[in-house]
Amino acid sequence: MVDAVIANWDGHDYQARFFWINASGLRDPEKAHVVEVSYEADGPKGFDDVVVRYNPGQAGRRSFRVETAHHQVKFHVNQAGRFGFKDLVEPEFIGATAFSILERLKEAVDKAPPRSTFTLVTTDRVRDDDPLSKLLKTADKSLDLEKLAVGKTERSEMGEVRKLWREHLKLDTDEELFAILDTFHIMEGYHSLQDMRENVDLRFQVVGLSTGGNSLEFKFDGAARALKATERNVLTREAFEELCIEQGWIKSTQPEDRKNISIRSFSDGPTDYLDATAENTLSLLHFFDIRHLQAGADWNTDVRPAIEDFLIRVRQTDKDIRLFLDSHSSIAFLAGAMLGFKTTTHVELNQKGRGPTTVWRSDDGKSGQPATTEVIQIGHGDDIAVVVSLSRNAVDDVEAYVKACVQSVGRILHVVAANGPSQKSLAGGEHAADLADQVAAAVKALRPAFGARGHFFISGPNAFSFFMGQHRDAMGPVTLYEFDFKGAVDGSYHPSFRIG
């Protein structure tokens, strides 16, 4: 019984945090089109947990600008939950007794205003072997209706899906089914409860509001419940500002006037739009399947030119930026190389993780101990492998990989956080920048032969990779690597960018 009560509390807190993340857009001058955010408001039942309204409509990948985004938010206490296409017709999947998520979707599509979308946000994950996993688009987690239409008979894989869903909704044709599914998104495997707390802090910090602090109780959870209880749960820009003043959430010192710039090869889902405006966002999602490069795409001929073209424009037009990097470590490194010491662009980074701050800059005063370094001789080649173990100890995996696949490497420079690798090994931006300086100096001290290549294997925050990339010109040619964490290919390393 106690566990059930806690799970219920956590579910409400999770929904509240999703609400506050979206509500932060009401105070963002770059998000003037976010005009209303509601918490458990009147709306299409089943998709009324959090509703966001835009004017003008939110630009995206759809043929129309989205004017209303409806969300159903479902939290479970562990990551064991898995679901597939058959679960979408079961009321129990969403904790209901009478209506399934698809029935609620059908009703919502009928009742919602035009130019609406409907998103299921859940911590559960789609089963890898289920047809539903093939239908979710990487870019925005909408359903790929062209794939769903494949197969002429009901005995085909997608024919079975169409038949079940069509008959469950009492529809006569596939076209009627597609019309209902057209604006549906499934954000599966969404953030943990702790991640959501940190994301609220991040968003509030960016728009000049106080964070939830380091107390046991997160004050914004109760604040959302109080809004519902007092019938103030529909916030406009004016109402949110009044609330922030009333609650004393506005910081006396407001954030610097910086341009928000976003590069993403991962998706945060329905809150992606809060990072930066569409014109200041580079989405690389179409090159990747989750974290792995899609078949036919190439790091150096496809991904790299897109990043370079985008950042050339940024450094020509913007001198003070706030950089959001929901991306691979290699992309963070390349961004640092493009926004290096020779440019006049001053960058602060929004770093997600378990560190003490989410906004990192090289002069933020968050200093820490130097790393320890070790040189390991593994061969006679001129190249050097630089293994940075900040989040996890990567040296054994790297040594095995380079001996088998990069035989031009003769030495490994292993860099380890002073207190050992962990998610909290770096104090903040100044610490990350100092360690990047230390690594660059250590590479130079090895006196690599002319033309020798540095092979970088970084296990650490993207902010560190960015600061490391700023030293690229002084380190000569480099090759970067990404690790196949989820074993999508072979559970090993794969080269990404070759720079120089």
Side-chain angles (χ1 to χ4, degrees):
M1 180 63 71
V2 174
D3 289 345
V5 170
I6 293 174
N8 186 53
W9 290 346
D10 286 347
H12 284 293
D13 293 347
Y14 193 84
Q15 180 179 325
R17 294 172 192 186
F18 187 82
F19 164 72
W20 289 120
I21 290 169
N22 281 278
S24 70
L26 294 168
R27 204 170 191 269
D28 190 337
E30 291 190 19
K31 300 292 181 297
H33 64 292
V34 182
V35 296
E36 182 183 286
V37 181
S38 59
Y39 175 76
E40 293 188 353
D42 294 333
K45 192 170 180 60
F47 289 92
D48 55 356
D49 288 346
V50 175
V51 179
V52 185
R53 302 188 191 282
Y54 310 100
N55 186 21
Q58 169 76 15
R61 289 178 172 267
R62 296 196 168 277
S63 59
F64 61 89
R65 285 179 172 264
V66 177
E67 295 181 359
T68 312
H70 306 261
H71 305 90
Q72 177 169 149
V73 184
K74 292 298 177 186
F75 172 81
H76 290 109
V77 295
N78 60 54
Q79 292 281 309
R82 295 291 186 272
F83 66 97
F85 78 96
K86 293 180 180 178
D87 295 287
L88 302 190
V89 305
E90 300 294 339
E92 294 81 4
F93 172 63
I94 55 172
T97 57
F99 297 97
S100 69
I101 183 69
L102 286 184
E103 288 173 315
R104 289 302 187 196
L105 175 65
K106 180 184 178 184
E107 180 184 15
V109 170
D110 288 339
K111 293 184 177 180
R115 299 181 179 86
S116 291
T117 57
F118 309 90
T119 302
L120 170 64
V121 180
T122 177
T123 52
D124 288 346
R125 296 182 181 275
V126 174
R127 289 192 295 272
D128 293 337
D129 60 350
D130 192 271
L132 184 57
S133 67
K134 301 177 183 179
L135 293 175
L136 294 183
K137 293 182 181 179
T138 302
D140 62 359
K141 297 297 184 178
S142 62
L143 297 182
D144 191 331
L145 300 184
E146 291 185 2
K147 286 186 179 179
L148 182 58
V150 171
K152 295 182 179 180
T153 70
E154 294 178 349
R155 289 181 293 179
S156 66
E157 181 181 47
M158 292 303 167
E160 181 185 0
V161 177
R162 297 194 302 271
K163 180 176 185 294
L164 178 68
W165 290 355
R166 187 182 64 244
E167 292 181 352
H168 175 66
L169 295 177
K170 299 180 176 58
L171 302 173
D172 295 325
T173 67
D174 287 344
E175 286 68 28
E176 292 176 287
L177 175 65
F178 295 160
I180 292 171
L181 298 175
D182 185 46
T183 53
F184 186 39
H185 303 250
I186 301 177
M187 293 306 307
E188 47 96 29
Y190 208 60
H191 303 299
S192 70
L193 187 62
Q194 177 63 26
D195 288 338
M196 294 292 272
R197 173 173 177 155
E198 293 174 355
N199 284 342
V200 173
D201 281 347
L202 165 63
R203 299 297 177 184
F204 273 38
Q205 189 173 7
V206 167
V207 297
L209 299 178
S210 62
T211 65
N214 195 31
S215 61
L216 183 62
E217 182 178 7
F218 192 54
K219 63 184 180 183
F220 301 117
D221 296 337
R225 292 191 291 272
L227 288 179
K228 177 65 176 177
T230 57
E231 299 183 349
R232 298 173 62 187
N233 52 316
V234 178
L235 295 180
T236 61
R237 297 184 79 87
E238 294 77 15
F240 185 51
E241 189 69 14
E242 291 175 6
L243 177 68
C244 293
I245 295 171
E246 171 190 307
Q247 297 297 317
W249 292 346
I250 300 177
K251 290 183 177 180
S252 57
T253 303
Q254 288 298 288
E256 295 175 307
D257 185 16
R258 289 177 175 269
K259 180 69 67 65
N260 285 0
I261 303 294
S262 174
I263 303 176
R264 56 176 62 255
S265 54
F266 309 146
S267 176
D268 264 350
T271 59
D272 281 351
Y273 76 97
L274 291 169
D275 288 352
T277 58
E279 61 269 24
N280 293 318
T281 298
L282 174 64
S283 175
L284 303 166
L285 297 176
H286 56 291
F287 290 126
F288 295 92
D289 183 5
I290 310 299
R291 289 177 178 255
H292 184 67
L293 197 66
Q294 287 191 350
D298 185 85
W299 280 99
N300 291 289
T301 60
D302 297 318
V303 182
R304 182 178 170 185
I307 298 169
E308 291 178 338
D309 290 346
F310 178 73
L311 288 179
I312 286 171
R313 176 179 66 81
V314 167
R315 71 188 186 191
Q316 288 174 342
T317 57
D318 302 296
K319 301 307 178 188
D320 295 294
I321 69 172
R322 181 180 298 112
L323 185 59
F324 292 78
L325 288 171
D326 287 300
S327 67
H328 295 73
S329 173
S330 299
I331 293 171
F333 187 104
L334 179 60
M338 293 291 295
L339 301 172
F341 302 124
K342 295 180 181 179
T343 68
T344 58
T345 304
H346 187 264
V347 182
E348 69 176 30
L349 299 108
N350 284 273
Q351 174 60 52
K352 297 179 180 178
R354 296 192 180 94
T357 180
T358 52
V359 178
W360 289 26
R361 46 197 289 176
S362 59
D363 58 354
D364 62 13
K366 303 288 185 179
S367 59
Q369 298 180 42
T372 62
T373 60
E374 175 189 13
V375 178
I376 306 169
Q377 190 77 37
I378 63 167
H380 301 288
D382 290 335
D383 288 359
I384 297 169
V386 181
V387 184
V388 181
S389 296
L390 299 179
S391 299
R392 71 178 186 92
N393 194 323
V395 70
D396 290 340
D397 288 335
V398 173
E399 184 171 352
Y401 172 78
V402 296
K403 284 181 176 178
C405 303
V406 195
Q407 294 170 0
S408 59
V409 170
R411 291 174 289 177
I412 294 176
L413 172 64
H414 187 208
V415 182
V416 186
N419 295 320
S422 77
Q423 296 297 322
K424 298 181 179 180
S425 62
L426 294 183
E430 185 172 318
H431 192 194
D434 288 346
L435 291 194
D437 295 347
Q438 181 185 354
V439 174
V443 171
K444 184 177 180 180
L446 290 177
R447 301 178 65 84
F450 179 78
R453 181 169 292 273
H455 301 261
F456 278 78
F457 303 81
I458 299 175
S459 174
N462 271 353
F464 170 82
S465 296
F466 176 87
F467 292 132
M468 194 73 253
Q470 291 187 312
H471 290 276
R472 208 293 302 176
D473 286 345
M475 294 188 298
V478 302
T479 298
L480 306 173
Y481 294 81
E482 293 290 336
F483 188 67
D484 179 26
F485 282 106
K486 295 188 176 182
V489 181
D490 56 10
S492 185
Y493 285 95
H494 295 266
S496 55
F497 300 128
R498 284 178 59 89
I499 307 175

